[in-house]
Amino acid sequence: EHIGAIQTYKFLPLYYQLAARMGSVTSDSSNFQPVLMQLMLKVATDHPHHALWVIIALAHAYKDDEFLNKEKAGTTRRKTTSVDNKVEEERVQAAKGLLEKLHGFDKKLAGIVTNMEKISIAYIELANWSVVSQNNRNPQPLPKELAILKITDCDNISLPSVELKVDPTGTYKNIISPARFGTTFRLAGGINLPKIITCVGSDGRERTQLVKGKDDLRQDAVMQQVFTLVNELLSGDEETLRRQLKIQTYKVIPLSQKCGLLQWCEGTKPLGEYLIGSNGAHFRYRPNDLSAKNCRDHLAAKVKDTSEQKLKAYLEVCAKFKPVFHHFFMEHFVEPSVWFEKRLAYTRSVATNSIVGYILGLGDRHLMNILIDLQSAEVVHIDLGIAFEQGRILPTPETVPFRLTRDIVDGMGITGVEGVFRRCCEKTMEVMKNNSESLLTIVQVLLYDPLSHWSLTPQQALAIQ
């Protein structure tokens, strides 16, 4: 009876968690569902630009199947128990019912809902559209019949990949809306070939977006939610605030069970590209060392040997492949004071990300999944699909708590992990430990929103590795 007295914006950080509990009317006489639906409706009417994406993604949970032919749909639909399906189905129906109510609310809100649904379906269509030339990494034209190219008059909705500050009063003015989409796309690397597109906002700025199909982004979205919470906790602690410890975040918008949209991290470069890409730093600064591929082959050849022989091979590789990442700071920041400041920012950023990644059991931290910001020198972790220690069940188990290879340490300067890195790790861990309840609240949503890859099948694990 008092829930109406609480300002709706306070529920926004947990809206995803609330949506996971939606369903049909509960069997017992409790009024939990009616109260929940009333709250969901109230939050969505006050803050449509933040809340509606969550509802639309639930309502469109199986939308991909309409764009995929039936045989493919049969192989990609997750195998769940009938109980699981029933819960999922109830949630989808509840979301659809909520959208219908919002449509009839008032004309302004109905217009926002209509346009958001329209753009969401256009993204889903694009995500599931099969590309003919899959090895072409150059810009290619988008087919004119795609709905995304026909998007117009969407000035009442916010561009999904742009962060919109929550307004407690709910009066959203001067929002950046999508004006038009670029007519070409590029393919990003990866198994499912995500598409890179551009969108010009109502402010005239062109922004890059990543549209992913055949991939459940709900886990990535919750991870970004956890990162946002961690940033709030870090900024609320005197020690971590003084050290400016934070995690770089980016927008992730799940559009259905199997596709979604991500904000492109502008001005960043994967560590792998800098270190061992074409004309990478290892080749430029240590041309006489072994190549990264040779090192990998040398170790792979010893996979069936004893531990002693493996260690010997590893030490041989280390001797012939020395770290070079400190050159990144020399190349990008020539002014000594700036060089020092950026190296410090990098070390702090690695420490914060390492501890948070360790707590969340983040795996698959290969060099293409860690980006470095070319302006701030902070690291950005992407592709957060292997979490909660799932890396431990890969064919070659990931047993390290976080990535701290020689090149990563090389960027920290002469003291390595001692000093700044160690202290920042300790302070981050302290904040995480003191706020464990808040973190668990957010992460718990994954228990109530069973993901398609909650546990990996042996085939999936093999494909990932």
Side-chain angles (χ1 to χ4, degrees):
E1 56 208 60
H2 297 292
I3 210 157
I6 303 170
Q7 284 181 289
T8 49
Y9 79 94
K10 292 195 182 259
F11 292 101
L12 273 178
L14 291 168
Y15 201 68
Y16 199 98
Q17 281 71 6
L18 292 167
R21 270 88 173 167
M22 287 197 310
S24 59
V25 182
T26 34
S27 49
D28 54 17
S29 56
S30 82
N31 55 359
F32 174 73
Q33 281 298 335
V35 172
L36 174 65
M37 294 308 278
Q38 195 185 333
L39 178 64
M40 297 295 286
L41 194 66
K42 201 158 173 277
V43 176
T45 48
D46 289 353
H47 308 279
H49 307 292
H50 296 88
L52 278 177
W53 289 112
V54 177
I55 304 296
I56 290 172
L58 281 176
H60 290 170
Y62 303 122
K63 205 75 174 168
D64 303 73
D65 296 349
E66 292 175 22
F67 295 104
L68 293 162
N69 59 37
K70 289 288 171 271
E71 297 93 304
K72 278 188 185 168
T75 55
T76 50
R77 174 71 70 91
R78 65 206 186 102
K79 296 173 178 62
T80 52
T81 62
S82 54
V83 177
D84 233 3
N85 265 340
K86 187 170 177 288
V87 174
E88 186 71 63
E89 211 47 64
E90 282 181 2
R91 207 177 305 153
V92 171
Q93 291 313 319
K96 285 180 177 171
L98 197 57
L99 285 179
E100 272 172 40
K101 278 185 190 161
L102 289 164
H103 266 295
F105 209 78
D106 67 36
K107 208 170 174 188
K108 186 184 171 195
L109 191 62
I112 294 176
V113 176
T114 304
N115 276 344
M116 281 176 89
E117 285 194 279
K118 185 169 76 175
I119 202 167
S120 169
I121 290 170
Y123 276 130
I124 295 172
E125 180 194 28
L126 175 63
N128 289 294
W129 166 63
S130 299
V131 183
V132 183
S133 49
Q134 300 193 344
N135 296 325
N136 187 352
R137 291 285 182 269
N138 298 320
Q140 304 176 56
L142 284 165
K144 289 188 173 59
E145 62 272 13
L146 283 178
I148 199 105
L149 296 179
K150 299 169 188 165
I151 297 284
T152 51
D153 303 326
C154 280
D155 49 4
N156 59 347
I157 68 169
S158 164
L159 188 57
S161 58
V162 173
E163 194 62 60
L164 178 64
K165 207 170 178 332
V166 173
D167 182 348
T169 63
T171 51
Y172 290 97
K173 287 180 179 154
N174 305 326
I175 56 170
I176 297 168
S177 56
R180 66 177 188 280
F181 286 87
T183 54
T184 61
F185 75 99
R186 286 183 297 127
L187 287 175
I191 307 170
N192 297 321
L193 295 171
K195 302 168 184 83
I196 304 164
I197 60 167
T198 56
C199 178
V200 178
S202 52
D203 59 348
R205 234 184 93 188
E206 188 178 80
R207 291 171 176 81
T208 309
Q209 300 176 335
L210 188 69
V211 182
K212 265 186 156 183
K214 302 188 187 70
D215 199 355
D216 193 334
L217 293 185
R218 290 177 295 178
Q219 186 163 308
D220 284 66
V222 172
M223 285 297 176
Q224 289 300 326
Q225 210 183 351
V226 176
F227 288 170
T228 307
L229 173 66
V230 169
N231 282 341
E232 278 179 37
L233 300 174
L234 291 170
S235 63
D237 180 271
E238 199 181 318
E239 292 279 337
T240 50
L241 178 65
R242 188 166 56 80
R243 293 179 169 84
Q244 295 174 312
L245 301 187
K246 64 178 187 297
I247 295 176
Q248 291 265 39
T249 58
Y250 53 91
K251 284 285 290 275
V252 179
I253 313 276
L255 297 167
S256 74
Q257 256 189 22
K258 293 200 285 277
C259 76
L261 174 75
L262 298 108
Q263 174 189 355
W264 186 257
C265 300
E266 307 271 1
T268 60
K269 191 178 206 172
L271 287 180
E273 204 176 295
Y274 174 78
L275 291 169
I276 55 173
S278 57
N279 201 30
H282 272 285
F283 174 73
R284 284 183 287 121
Y285 291 105
R286 299 193 61 87
N288 299 325
D289 276 4
L290 288 175
S291 72
K293 189 181 182 306
N294 288 345
C295 294
R296 184 183 281 266
D297 292 345
H298 186 61
L299 283 175
K302 309 284 180 188
V303 75
K304 291 191 169 71
D305 291 4
T306 63
S307 298
E308 287 76 21
Q309 289 168 312
K310 282 181 188 172
L311 176 62
K312 185 169 175 276
Y314 171 71
L315 294 172
E316 283 167 9
V317 162
C318 289
K320 294 173 188 167
F321 191 78
K322 300 280 188 191
V324 294
F325 193 57
H326 66 276
H327 290 289
F328 172 85
F329 299 91
M330 308 287 251
E331 286 175 17
H332 289 80
F333 313 108
V334 288
E335 184 73 34
S337 57
V338 178
W339 166 84
F340 183 76
E341 181 197 328
K342 301 299 181 191
R343 198 187 68 179
L344 188 63
Y346 162 79
T347 309
R348 287 170 168 169
S349 150
V350 172
T352 314
N353 279 281
S354 297
I355 294 300
V356 175
Y358 163 62
I359 299 287
L360 296 172
L362 202 55
D364 199 26
R365 297 298 86 211
H366 59 75
L367 284 176
M368 297 309 278
N369 277 349
I370 305 175
L371 314 178
I372 185 143
D373 190 307
L374 303 175
Q375 293 296 311
S376 69
E378 292 174 321
V379 294
V380 188
H381 282 257
I382 60 167
D383 206 349
L384 314 169
I386 303 284
F388 309 114
E389 316 249 294
Q390 286 176 339
R392 286 182 180 274
I393 56 172
L394 293 173
T396 304
E398 296 185 339
T399 55
V400 293
F402 45 81
R403 189 182 187 98
L404 196 64
T405 48
R406 293 174 307 148
D407 263 312
I408 300 268
V409 176
D410 193 53
M412 297 175 189
I414 197 73
T415 58
V417 295
E418 296 308 329
V420 175
F421 180 79
R422 185 181 288 277
R423 275 197 304 276
C424 290
C425 281
E426 286 169 3
K427 296 298 172 198
T428 305
M429 182 67 97
E430 216 169 278
V431 169
M432 296 282 279
K433 183 85 180 89
N434 294 342
N435 296 281
S436 54
E437 276 189 26
S438 309
L439 291 163
L440 286 172
T441 304
I442 297 267
V443 175
Q444 250 179 340
V445 72
L446 297 176
L447 297 176
Y448 296 97
D449 188 8
L451 295 170
S452 17
H453 49 248
W454 183 228
S455 56
L456 296 172
T457 64
Q459 291 87 344
Q460 283 173 315
L462 200 59
I464 287 161
Q465 194 125 54

